[in-house]
Amino acid sequence: MPLDPSYVGRTYPPPAPYQVGREKIREFAAAIGATDPAYHDPEAARALGYPDVIAPPTFPVVITVAAGQRVIDDPGLGLDYSRVVHGDQRFVYRRPVVAGDELVCTSEIEEITSRGGHDFLTTRTEVTTADGEAVVTVWSKLVVRGVPGQEGGQERADAGR
């Protein structure tokens, strides 16, 4: 079932605010091999003018998961998550995420397109503080792989054999 293009522009209410913890930042940084002292040491971050450790640039993926899940779980959209692969991720920052931030994520479906039997879903998530200060905008593109036999899907299935 293809994605419903009428969902473009639909905004989803934010989940509960996310409290950014110092240890979560440190754990994430360690998991991705990010060694910058500002990700681990509060004094190093303070020397750069921040009140606590800052998060690596891809950390907002952690924060936006719950907001993205609201889009994925919307039954009317027609998304079969078993056919999804991650296509792209972009971040545009106003300032770094800092330990102690309380962040709110509001997601919107920005684009739905179809090419070669696959659907492409782009969401934009605005991450702000609980007080409304813009922190980062996160775009995510999901590719919903086509079903073999539908709009070129069989050719793709055969090509992989």
Side-chain angles (χ1 to χ4, degrees):
M1 177 169 111
L3 297 178
D4 183 345
S6 74
Y7 274 61
V8 172
R10 182 168 290 201
T11 300
Y12 293 80
Y18 183 95
Q19 185 69 42
V20 179
R22 182 186 293 163
E23 288 309 310
K24 289 291 184 185
I25 289 174
R26 287 175 170 162
E27 290 167 358
F28 185 86
I32 64 168
T35 59
D36 188 315
Y39 303 151
H40 301 275
D41 179 8
E43 291 307 315
R46 285 186 194 106
L48 296 173
Y50 300 105
D52 208 324
V53 296
I54 60 173
T58 56
F59 183 81
V61 168
V62 173
I63 300 166
T64 61
V65 165
Q69 195 64 45
R70 290 178 181 234
V71 175
I72 291 166
D73 291 343
D74 187 333
L77 177 60
L79 188 139
D80 177 356
Y81 197 72
S82 71
R83 305 199 65 76
V84 168
V85 294
H86 189 263
D88 189 29
Q89 194 83 42
R90 283 188 303 136
F91 305 88
V92 174
Y93 275 89
R94 275 81 178 174
R95 69 162 177 82
V97 172
V98 179
D101 280 341
E102 184 177 11
L103 300 176
V104 176
C105 300
T106 303
S107 289
E108 177 180 341
I109 296 177
E110 190 168 85
E111 182 180 50
I112 295 174
T113 59
S114 295
R115 292 188 308 276
H118 303 296
D119 285 340
F120 297 81
L121 170 70
T122 302
T123 60
R124 184 184 77 242
T125 302
E126 297 295 340
V127 181
T128 64
T129 65
D131 295 332
E133 175 194 0
V135 177
V136 61
T137 302
V138 180
W139 284 269
S140 179
K141 184 177 298 262
L142 300 179
V143 180
V144 184
R145 295 173 291 129
V147 176
Q150 292 182 356
E151 297 184 37
Q154 186 61 50
E155 291 81 13
R156 284 189 314 284
D158 292 340
R161 292 184 191 159

